[in-house]
Amino acid sequence: MTSRDKILAAVKANQPDLRPLPEVVIPVSHADLIQKYTEVASGIGAKVYEVESVSQIKSILADHFDMSKRKVTTLADFADFAETDILQLDPHALEDVELAILKAELGVAENSALWVAEQHLGQRVVPFICQHLAILVEREKILPTMHQAYEYIGERDYGYAAFIAGPSKTADIEQSLVLGAHGPRSLSVFIV
Amino acid sequence: MGSNAKTAGTLDHADLSDIFNRDEPRVNWHDETLWFVRTKRDRAAHSLPEWELLRETASGIKHNVLSNLHNYLQQFEEKAIANGVQVHWAADAKEHNEIVLSILKKHKITQMVKSKSMLTEECHLNEYLQQNGVGVIDSDLGERIVQLAEEPPSHIVLPCIHKKKEEIGDLFHVHLGTEAGESNPQVLTEAARQHLRDTFLTRKVSLTGVNFAVAETGEFVVCTNEGNADMGSHLADVHIACMGIEKIIPERKHLSFFLRLLARSATGQPITTYSSHFKKPRPGQEMHIVLVDNGRTTQLGREDFRNSLKCIRCGACMNTCPVYRRSGGHSYHNAIAGPIGSILAPNLDMKKYADLPFASTLCGSCSNVCPVKIDIHDQLYKWRQVLVKEGHVSPVKAVGMKAMAFTFSMPRFFAFAGKAGRSLMRLFPFAVNNKLNPWFKEREMPAPPQESFREWYSKNRK
Ligand code: SF4
């Protein structure tokens, strides 16, 4: 008997009688989503900008980050601003990226998380290996809670996807919060 | 207490806590730091009027998982294989370690990077790999710190919560070349970032834990704040994810409940920085999942204790536990410390861990904060009875069983109570919560909200 069969047999023998899955509706409020999103995101160290145009985003980024360093993006609108040809690269070749500009499919007001799926990443490592990360999200794609987020995601297929909330951080040394653990040192969110 | 455990040649929880308690200022600091985390958890929980409904539902989903695990495991396996992932099954720690080593050997790898996985602690994977010529670098900052100190983690979420920044500074001075006497967390974190970045860029195999695995889709979710699981895995040629078989959840949409509860319960954050959904290997990458039993099917068969398998490893029961806070994680001499560790450990070895269910005041604060509503303190009480019946507890202690709740742990840990001016709430989290019936009330009773949940619910359900 393989371990697989042994484990499955033991599970079958020992599991209790079937209990049904709970079916619940979690109450939700759709009020002030942008305000809520901004509050929560700022609370965990992200910077949030409500913007009208791509050129506005570019000028904000130019003001805050070192433009002489390497920038990458998967967004056609930023082709004049950052490298777009990253799909074929070995992920290690992205080691010196200063700024990455990506797009999220949705944002979640209750925790400021942004859903980025592989299709929009170019490379999975991009939002982690860059020193600074900028993510665009459409205003009407800010949803109240994780329940609406997963409803939106539904059954779509992806190889990899992530919720990203704020810059990477750690509080492992005496609980003092330090931004920029292994991933980006800052997160700028542009609500468009 | 626990004279039995000592015959095995090891120190039991009481002895180990006595050692921890020799340094009173440190104990007070440890206690206060964890209580601070607990208060952050309270604020996060109380900010959601639907909190109790989330707990109730998450608990219900986990009940369903345990009752249908046989099907879910097979469904998960089938989907994962269809996604291009290689699935392995390990009956115990030994087999788990052998599987990991065989993958490394196949690729002729002698260096691996690993993100947080309590399962690999449980299986003592690092030691095993070291003995077999493989170097492992833990990439979670807290885990890296305890690894440099050659200690196990003392907490499942905050691995080096027992360490002062000056001690960490000394370790980094020796191992990472920081200035002598440097203890600024910002500076130390930056040094670790540089050192580990180099590790990420040069390792070909990355091992991660798994927080949730979805039967419906075959994907698994890993939660970190640092981004270390992702940095390791997206750069490596081979990603190995190790999980206990109880990590399965039925459907993707159920993640919403668990992700809403996990970080809020753990640290008071609204969500961890990264909740990464791994479904397929990236082109050219090899992805493995190791499904591990190691006693879980036995626990599943113990009616009184099977609910412990609902645990999502948030650590809230440790942060709130007056005994854990004042005895430290290492006193539990088990990979998982605190109240939940004290239920899980005797399942693996009753004799060795007979002392742990007694390392509790049975105050019930653990059960009150548990996001999946595990009846932790009831199970601790039941373990005591089992252990007495099986002859793992000295007769003297067995006689005292009835009055056990306060007599055992309290004097040992609370001798300094008044002196240090600690708040009543922190010492007796249950006393303030519920004066009348401290042990069996299921909520931790925050200040009552302005409107009741029912009123709020009927107003907002549209
Ligand atoms: S038992 Fe509950 S509170 Fe303790 S770690 Fe597990 S889920 Fe968290």
Side-chain angles (χ1 to χ4, degrees):
Chain A
M1 217 175 172
T2 63
S3 289
R4 176 186 185 278
D5 296 341
K6 252 192 286 178
I7 294 169
L8 284 172
V11 169
K12 191 164 192 179
N14 290 345
Q15 70 188 16
D17 293 341
L18 187 66
R19 308 247 317 234
L21 271 171
E23 283 300 334
V24 294
V25 179
I26 304 293
V28 59
S29 154
H30 288 266
D32 307 321
L33 292 181
I34 305 290
Q35 194 197 330
K36 172 87 183 158
Y37 181 93
T38 308
E39 250 172 56
V40 178
S42 313
I44 57 173
K47 274 220 151 68
V48 183
Y49 305 90
E50 288 184 61
V51 293
E52 304 295 332
S53 68
V54 169
S55 60
Q56 204 186 338
I57 300 175
K58 287 176 188 167
S59 84
I60 292 170
L61 291 173
D63 283 349
H64 286 86
F65 301 103
D66 186 344
M67 289 297 107
S68 67
K69 293 189 173 158
R70 191 171 177 199
K71 308 177 283 299
V72 298
T73 188
T74 51
L75 304 171
D77 282 348
F78 288 81
D80 61 343
F81 187 85
E83 234 177 287
T84 48
D85 221 5
I86 53 172
L87 242 125
Q88 303 305 324
L89 295 178
D90 177 296
H92 296 83
L94 295 160
E95 182 202 351
D96 59 345
V97 169
E98 178 74 5
L99 175 66
I101 308 148
L102 302 170
K103 188 173 173 171
E105 278 171 67
L106 63 90
V108 185
E110 67 158 326
N111 57 22
S112 84
L114 296 158
W115 175 254
V116 286
E118 186 152 40
Q119 297 87 297
H120 297 282
L121 289 176
Q123 296 262 358
R124 293 180 185 186
V125 81
V126 167
F128 302 95
I129 203 166
C130 60
Q131 297 291 330
H132 300 277
L133 179 60
I135 300 183
L136 283 62
V137 61
E138 286 165 26
R139 177 171 266 286
E140 49 289 357
K141 297 282 171 58
I142 307 270
L143 308 174
T145 75
M146 294 297 278
H147 307 299
Q148 290 73 41
Y150 278 105
E151 220 164 88
Y152 183 97
I153 294 163
E155 291 176 6
R156 68 184 65 187
D157 192 22
Y158 45 74
Y160 168 85
F163 280 109
I164 299 181
S168 87
K169 58 164 103 42
T170 180
D172 273 344
I173 303 179
E174 286 200 9
Q175 281 297 293
S176 23
L177 182 68
V178 180
L179 300 184
H182 300 304
R185 301 169 189 274
S186 75
L187 172 68
S188 310
V189 182
F190 294 94
I191 302 180
V192 293
Chain B
M1 101 186 233
S3 56
N4 236 22
K6 258 174 286 186
T7 56
T10 53
L11 297 174
D12 70 6
H13 178 267
D15 303 325
L16 292 164
S17 359
D18 282 346
I19 296 170
F20 188 72
N21 270 269
R22 274 182 209 147
D23 185 351
E24 193 195 338
R26 180 190 291 260
V27 177
N28 290 338
W29 165 79
H30 188 262
D31 179 8
E32 276 157 31
T33 310
L34 286 159
W35 184 253
F36 169 66
V37 181
R38 152 85 209 256
T39 56
K40 286 197 292 184
R41 172 257 169 224
D42 288 350
R43 271 202 298 279
H46 301 164
S47 72
L48 292 185
E50 65 269 45
W51 184 254
E52 289 304 320
L53 186 57
L54 294 176
R55 285 178 73 209
E56 190 61 47
T57 311
S59 169
I61 295 169
K62 284 284 186 176
H63 277 305
N64 167 266
V65 168
L66 296 183
S67 71
N68 196 27
L69 192 56
H70 182 251
N71 288 341
Y72 287 144
L73 279 167
Q74 291 177 88
Q75 189 188 358
F76 176 74
E77 177 189 42
E78 188 192 320
K79 295 286 174 178
I81 292 172
N83 292 336
V85 180
Q86 300 180 38
V87 179
H88 312 259
W89 299 74
D92 51 23
K94 181 168 171 281
E95 191 174 10
H96 162 266
N97 293 347
E98 287 164 1
I99 290 168
V100 173
L101 181 66
S102 73
I103 299 169
L104 292 165
K105 276 199 166 146
K106 191 179 98 188
H107 293 273
K108 302 194 172 60
I109 296 292
T110 55
Q111 303 251 289
M112 180 179 86
V113 64
K114 173 160 102 34
S115 77
K116 193 149 40 184
S117 151
M118 288 318 296
L119 176 66
T120 60
E121 292 294 330
E122 173 187 322
C123 296
H124 301 287
L125 176 71
N126 283 15
E127 294 90 317
Y128 173 84
L129 290 181
Q130 244 145 39
Q131 284 157 16
N132 285 279
V134 179
V136 181
I137 291 193
D138 284 321
S139 60
D140 173 85
L141 177 59
E143 290 217 316
R144 184 66 186 135
I145 291 167
V146 290
Q147 189 180 32
L148 291 175
E150 298 181 20
E151 290 172 16
S154 69
H155 187 291
I156 57 176
V157 175
L158 318 162
C160 69
I161 192 71
H162 61 292
K163 281 238 173 296
K164 299 285 253 183
K165 57 179 192 269
E166 290 78 17
E167 298 169 281
I168 298 167
D170 291 346
L171 278 171
F172 278 24
H173 173 60
V174 173
H175 295 278
L176 307 184
T178 52
E179 295 279 328
E182 180 61 69
S183 67
N184 180 337
Q186 188 93 36
V187 176
L188 297 177
T189 302
E190 182 63 30
R193 178 184 169 101
Q194 302 300 345
H195 150 69
L196 285 163
R197 193 157 255 260
D198 209 54
T199 307
F200 291 129
L201 286 162
T202 51
R203 296 304 182 272
K204 296 200 168 359
V205 175
S206 155
L207 189 146
T208 70
V210 169
N211 289 90
F212 308 100
V214 183
E216 173 195 34
T217 59
E219 72 199 291
F220 58 92
V221 175
V222 183
C223 304
T224 75
N225 280 322
E226 299 184 6
N228 54 317
D230 288 276
M231 272 294 269
S233 305
H234 303 324
L235 290 169
D237 300 338
V238 182
H239 177 183
I240 308 171
C242 300
M243 58 178 274
I245 53 171
E246 82 285 15
K247 294 281 182 226
I248 301 266
I249 61 170
E251 296 166 36
R252 187 187 274 168
K253 70 170 191 223
H254 295 139
L255 286 166
S256 60
F257 292 94
F258 295 105
L259 292 180
R260 294 190 80 186
L261 288 163
L262 178 62
R264 287 184 173 99
S265 300
T267 57
Q269 294 171 256
I271 188 168
T272 50
T273 306
Y274 306 104
S275 312
S276 302
H277 299 48
F278 293 88
K279 193 164 173 222
K280 302 171 189 168
R282 64 167 204 277
Q285 191 193 36
E286 209 176 280
M287 195 180 271
H288 299 261
I289 293 172
V290 189
L291 291 162
V292 184
D293 180 348
N294 203 37
R296 286 162 177 78
T297 51
T298 311
Q299 191 84 320
L300 186 63
R302 297 187 206 269
E303 197 183 334
D304 284 342
F305 305 113
R306 68 163 60 106
N307 279 349
S308 60
L309 296 170
K310 288 157 61 186
C311 176
I312 59 171
R313 304 285 191 268
C314 73
C317 57
M318 306 180 183
N319 304 340
T320 200
C321 177
V323 175
Y324 175 88
R325 279 186 273 120
R326 297 198 63 79
S327 61
H330 290 157
S331 65
Y332 293 80
H333 57 97
N334 179 47
I336 300 183
I340 183 67
S342 303
I343 304 173
L344 297 172
N347 175 57
L348 286 172
D349 187 338
M350 279 197 214
K351 190 173 159 63
K352 186 167 169 203
Y353 299 113
D355 55 324
L356 293 187
F358 294 89
S360 166
T361 62
L362 298 185
C363 73
S365 183
C366 46
S367 309
N368 292 337
V369 297
C370 178
V372 286
K373 301 190 86 163
I374 300 173
D375 50 340
I376 306 170
H377 70 297
D378 287 340
Q379 293 193 37
L380 287 167
Y381 184 66
K382 286 175 186 160
W383 261 127
R384 292 180 184 186
Q385 292 165 317
V386 172
L387 292 164
V388 168
K389 215 164 96 198
E390 304 273 326
H392 295 296
V393 179
S394 68
V396 181
K397 196 193 238 170
V399 172
M401 283 283 288
K402 292 227 170 65
M404 190 97 57
F406 284 86
T407 50
F408 273 94
S409 306
M410 293 304 240
R412 197 180 283 273
F413 298 113
F414 306 114
F416 308 115
K419 234 197 284 178
R422 287 182 292 276
S423 77
L424 181 67
M425 175 71 173
R426 205 170 78 230
L427 280 172
F428 307 101
F430 52 95
V432 177
N433 292 348
N434 182 354
K435 292 192 181 69
L436 297 176
N437 184 5
W439 294 354
F440 297 103
K441 182 93 173 152
E442 291 203 342
R443 307 182 42 172
E444 100 273 16
M445 291 289 282
Q450 300 293 32
E451 54 183 355
S452 75
F453 176 74
R454 191 181 292 277
E455 289 162 10
W456 181 88
Y457 182 79
S458 55
K459 216 162 57 189
N460 287 281
R461 75 187 310 173
K462 268 271 129 155

